[in-house]
Amino acid sequence: MTRPLREVVFVDGVRTPFGKAKGQYAETRADDLVVKLIRELVRRHPELPPERIDEVAIAATTQTGDQGLTIGRTAAILAGLPESVPGYAIDRMCAGAMTAVTTTAGSIAFGAYDVAIAGGVEHMGRHPMGEGVDPNPRIVSERLVDPSALVMGNTAENVHDRYPAITKERTDAYAVRSQDLAAKAYADGKIQPALVPVATRSAELGFGLATTDEPMRPGTTVDDLAGLKTPFRPHGRVTAGNAAGINDGATAALLASEDAANELGLPIKMKLVTYAFAGVAPEVMAVGPIPSTEKALAKAGLTIDDIDAFEINEAFAVQVLAFLDHYGIDQNDDRVNPYGGAIAFGHPLASSGVRLMIQLARQFEEDPSIRYGITTMCVGLGMGGTVIWENPNWNGEKKGAA
Ligand SMILES: CC(C)(COP(=O)(O)OP(=O)(O)OC[C@H]1O[C@@H](n2cnc3c(N)ncnc32)[C@H](O)[C@@H]1OP(=O)(O)O)[C@@H](O)C(=O)NCCC(=O)NCCS
């Protein structure tokens, strides 16, 4: 049998507005957030017969309760997809949704699927980080990893230790930039098109409608951040201001083979070039995006200079700066997270990978001089993930060239 490799495209992506843990989604189920998004993707694409969806892959880090029971399948049933459409659950912690995309994309390229929904959810209010985990004692007793590796904020402090040039002043300045750019992106209407309002209810407050990202703190200044506590280490550098918070939210993307997209008349927002995941020492997990990007670039035959747009997850500002310093990119470079990042919007762990893709697709739409872009993120227990995308609207010019 011949098996031609097929091109994979990102058709569309949507997300819920993100919430603060114990905030707007305090009494909303995690699976209901996903259901809302699956329904919305189907609603936005009447050209797609729902029975043509070959898979629903949904990530969650904590897969119990309303995030358990094979959430891709349960959410598909609850969303009213035909019962013939299967689904499953995925976990790679923060890179859950990214892995849902790369895994289903691999299946599309291989020819097993034509169309898939891939996304993620994390209700960190209902499922605190580390809920119910039972790490094998050998991990620590045999010094397989440093004990600090199990608390993400500690790993961020470790990265500060490793790179003294990344000062708290720099991470705070980067956090202010993220808040400023996110506020501007909202004012310019760049974020809202992908947001799916979610009806909420609260025993105390009654019914409501979540339409915006609750964690945002527009107007934050470096002076506001300078005095914040450093919860992970006395006299440390990581604070609530230069880290992503504890958040609730969900994302979902529609992927297809290029052939199926053309056959069905589905739009193409991005073309998948390649992807890679890589491991690093768990106690400095935040440097993971460096080797995963190296690996992905090598596979694609590209260099960092070919990348005109970056969407880097901001779990911690120090992690973004470690990546940018490695490549000699200025922390104010306008190719980096131009619509703000997780420090402002929030980081509901397993959902964030598709938020990055949604924002990269927006960059592609807005600027046809961008040819290639990457989405990249660090992952707990010492990993990085990078996906390289190509802009279908590319106009043949080099971004920034005179
Ligand atoms: C850093 C962290 C511990 C802070 O948690 P928290 O203390 O509950 O955070 P809060 O939102 O209450 O903020 C703490 C304080 O900072 C203040 N603050 C936070 N962001 C601020 C900002 N941008 N400007 C001004 N003040 C700010 C808050 O108002 C609060 O002040 P208060 O103590 O006077 O009420 C938590 O957000 C965290 O663990 N983040 C990392 C999540 C993570 O590991 N994700 C996985 C990544 S791999």
Side-chain angles (χ1 to χ4, degrees):
M1 145 182 198
T2 55
R3 201 195 300 277
L5 193 67
R6 300 181 321 156
E7 297 297 331
V8 182
V9 298
F10 183 96
V11 172
D12 206 354
V14 290
R15 69 175 177 95
T16 67
F18 289 168
K20 287 186 191 176
K22 316 282 184 209
Q24 58 189 0
Y25 299 128
E27 294 175 50
T28 304
R29 290 178 62 99
D31 48 9
D32 281 337
L33 296 178
V34 181
V35 168
K36 185 87 195 161
L37 300 183
I38 296 174
R39 286 191 179 144
E40 179 67 9
L41 284 172
V42 172
R43 192 190 70 78
R44 289 189 184 196
H45 295 285
E47 66 278 29
L48 172 66
E51 63 274 13
R52 288 293 302 270
I53 300 167
D54 292 304
E55 192 66 272
V56 178
I58 301 295
T61 305
T62 302
Q63 299 197 355
T64 58
D66 56 350
Q67 294 186 171
L69 205 61
T70 310
I71 189 164
R73 175 61 175 164
T74 42
I77 292 172
L78 287 160
L81 292 184
E83 63 186 14
S84 56
V85 177
Y88 63 105
I90 275 195
D91 172 29
R92 199 201 291 269
M93 290 182 267
C94 299
M98 177 177 273
T99 304
V101 166
T102 56
T103 303
T104 51
S107 301
I108 292 169
F110 176 79
Y113 310 155
D114 288 334
V115 179
I117 289 177
V121 63
E122 206 78 47
H123 198 305
M124 297 173 77
R126 286 178 163 232
H127 303 283
M129 272 191 291
E131 181 192 54
V133 299
D134 177 18
N136 190 310
R138 291 202 301 114
I139 284 189
V140 173
S141 66
E142 295 181 15
R143 297 188 185 278
L144 295 176
V145 305
D146 186 90
S148 64
L150 299 178
V151 177
M152 296 306 122
N154 290 345
T155 71
E157 290 284 0
N158 292 343
V159 175
H160 269 291
D161 293 342
R162 182 179 278 200
Y163 300 109
I166 307 179
T167 59
K168 180 167 183 300
E169 287 68 30
R170 285 184 63 198
T171 53
D172 283 352
Y174 183 83
V176 168
R177 173 188 188 267
S178 182
Q179 297 284 1
D180 286 349
L181 291 175
K184 181 169 187 317
Y186 255 90
D188 295 344
K190 309 289 187 206
I191 302 298
Q192 295 88 334
L195 297 185
V196 183
V198 177
T200 59
R201 63 158 191 241
S202 150
E204 200 185 323
L205 303 171
F207 289 98
L209 192 64
T211 57
T212 54
D213 292 304
E214 193 178 24
M216 291 173 64
R217 302 191 60 135
T220 293
T221 65
V222 285
D223 286 343
D224 294 332
L225 301 186
L228 295 183
K229 289 185 195 134
T230 56
F232 302 105
R233 192 189 282 183
H235 309 293
R237 292 134 297 190
V238 179
T239 70
N242 61 32
I246 307 293
N247 307 112
D248 309 329
T251 62
L254 190 59
L255 304 173
S257 71
E258 190 173 29
D259 293 347
N262 290 336
E263 176 210 330
L264 295 167
L266 293 165
I268 296 176
K269 287 185 190 264
M270 304 198 285
K271 295 170 84 162
L272 180 65
V273 177
T274 193
Y275 60 85
F277 293 90
V280 295
E283 63 270 23
V284 285
M285 66 95 204
V287 301
I290 298 169
S292 62
T293 299
E294 290 294 304
K295 208 167 158 183
L297 287 170
K299 278 182 207 296
L302 297 173
T303 72
I304 200 74
D305 297 330
D306 294 309
I307 305 300
D308 299 321
F310 296 84
E311 285 291 341
I312 308 174
N313 194 42
E314 298 169 353
F316 300 97
V318 64
Q319 152 242 323
V320 178
L321 298 191
F323 179 90
L324 297 179
D325 282 8
H326 175 83
Y327 286 111
I329 299 170
D330 189 86
Q331 70 183 73
N332 293 310
D333 193 305
D334 63 7
R335 294 170 301 171
V336 178
N337 294 5
Y339 305 130
I343 288 172
F345 298 123
H347 173 29
L349 310 179
S351 75
S352 289
V354 167
R355 181 192 61 76
L356 300 174
M357 292 168 198
I358 290 168
Q359 290 190 200
L360 186 65
R362 166 64 56 180
Q363 289 202 56
F364 280 6
E365 217 171 301
E366 299 272 323
D367 186 351
S369 75
I370 296 172
R371 183 170 189 191
Y372 295 110
I374 66 169
T375 51
T376 185
M377 58 204 309
C378 61
V379 191
L381 290 182
M383 288 183 282
T386 301
V387 188
I388 305 181
W389 301 91
E390 185 171 8
N391 187 356
N393 315 310
W394 182 53
N395 63 8
E397 291 168 13
K398 174 69 184 160
K399 182 177 168 74

